């Protein structure tokens, strides 16, 4: 039986591109011996020093984005990291597939779906979990560097050390063997010393179908 490969995945629930990549990773778990370990990062934390320089529409989104990550971290603190995957899926289905704005009702529904206490929705308006939120965010950023967003994925490199990348950014999320090939390629570049980046201009919006 092949050895299971760990994949550490940092997400912000409001990012549609992280959502696409996360759905790919769930597919990879079906077609390769991979186990995803979910972690929270925050676009609000990442950009908090630059809010005044941003268009108001994006700055407003980042101010609202504190709520979902705080709820996720509160759930992790009280119930363990294994709850993050189901909670992320429940949040993302509502935010990205249903097009709903984050808010208390949405958090309560997602928490209930994930089998968690709805009272955790209170964390959205509290800074009580901001220290562990920032620590989780920093753990991912320390691996990948500053010039990134979400998602961040860390996989084993050639010598077993963790190699982290921003991305892959992909739409729609590959399925079946296509998902497996992209995963194999991710491990290939992670195992190539000195590899840093492949990129092209995005000319399509996230395809949630």
């Amino acid at each position: 039986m092949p050895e299971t490969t760990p994949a550490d995945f940092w997400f912000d629930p409001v990012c549609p591109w992280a959502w696409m990549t996360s759905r790919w990773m769930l597919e990879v778990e079906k077609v390769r011996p991979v186990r995803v370990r979910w972690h929270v990062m925050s676009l609000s934390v990442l950009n908090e020093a630059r809010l005044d320089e941003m268009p108001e529409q994006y700055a407003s989104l980042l101010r609202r984005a504190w709520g979902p990550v705080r709820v996720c971290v509160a759930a992790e603190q009280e119930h363990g990291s294994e709850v993050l995957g189901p909670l992320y899926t429940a949040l993302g289905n509502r935010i990205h597939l249903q097009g709903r704005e984050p808010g208390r009702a949405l958090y309560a529904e997602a928490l209930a779906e994930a089998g968690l206490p709805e009272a955790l929705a209170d964390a959205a308006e509290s800074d009580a979990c901001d220290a562990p939120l920032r620590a989780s965010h920093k753990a991912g950023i320390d691996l990948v560097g500053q010039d990134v967003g979400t998602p961040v994925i860390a996989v084993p490199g050639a010598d077993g050390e963790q190699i982290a990348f921003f991305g892959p950014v992909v739409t729609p999320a590959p399925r079946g063997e296509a998902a497996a090939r992209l995963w194999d390629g991710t491990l290939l570049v992670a195992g190539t010393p000195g590899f840093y980046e492949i990129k092209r201009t995005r000319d399509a919006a996230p395809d949630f179908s």
Side-chain angles (χ1 to χ4, degrees), residues 6 16 24 52 61-64 77 79 90 92 107 142 199 201 205:
W24 163 67
D52 292 342
L61 170 64
L62 292 176
R63 286 190 285 269
R64 298 193 306 274
Q77 291 289 297
H79 299 276
Y107 305 143
D142 283 352
K199 190 171 183 179
T201 299

Side-chain angles (χ1 to χ4, degrees), residues 19 23 85-95 106 109-111 113-114:
W19 175 253
R23 301 309 94 180
L87 180 56
Y88 180 27
T89 291
L91 288 167
N93 282 337
R94 289 163 173 78
I95 294 170
L106 185 150
E109 289 177 22
L111 287 161
E113 181 180 311

Side-chain angles (χ1 to χ4, degrees), residues 118-182:
E118 295 181 30
L120 286 168
D122 294 342
E125 302 300 327
S126 168
D127 62 2
C129 288
D130 283 6
L133 166 60
R134 290 178 183 276
S136 179
H137 176 88
K138 183 177 184 297
I141 292 297
D142 283 352
L143 285 172
V144 74
Q146 293 292 328
D147 300 325
V148 301
T150 178
V152 169
I153 295 181
V155 299
D159 58 2
E161 69 172 327
Q162 278 193 310
I163 301 295
F165 297 109
F166 164 58
V169 176
V170 60
T171 187
R175 303 292 182 184
E177 187 56 27
R181 287 196 303 270
L182 180 55

Side-chain angles (χ1 to χ4, degrees), residues 94-105:
R94 289 163 173 78
I95 294 170
H96 302 297
L97 302 190
Q98 298 175 15
R100 293 170 58 186
E101 284 291 320
R104 185 179 176 82

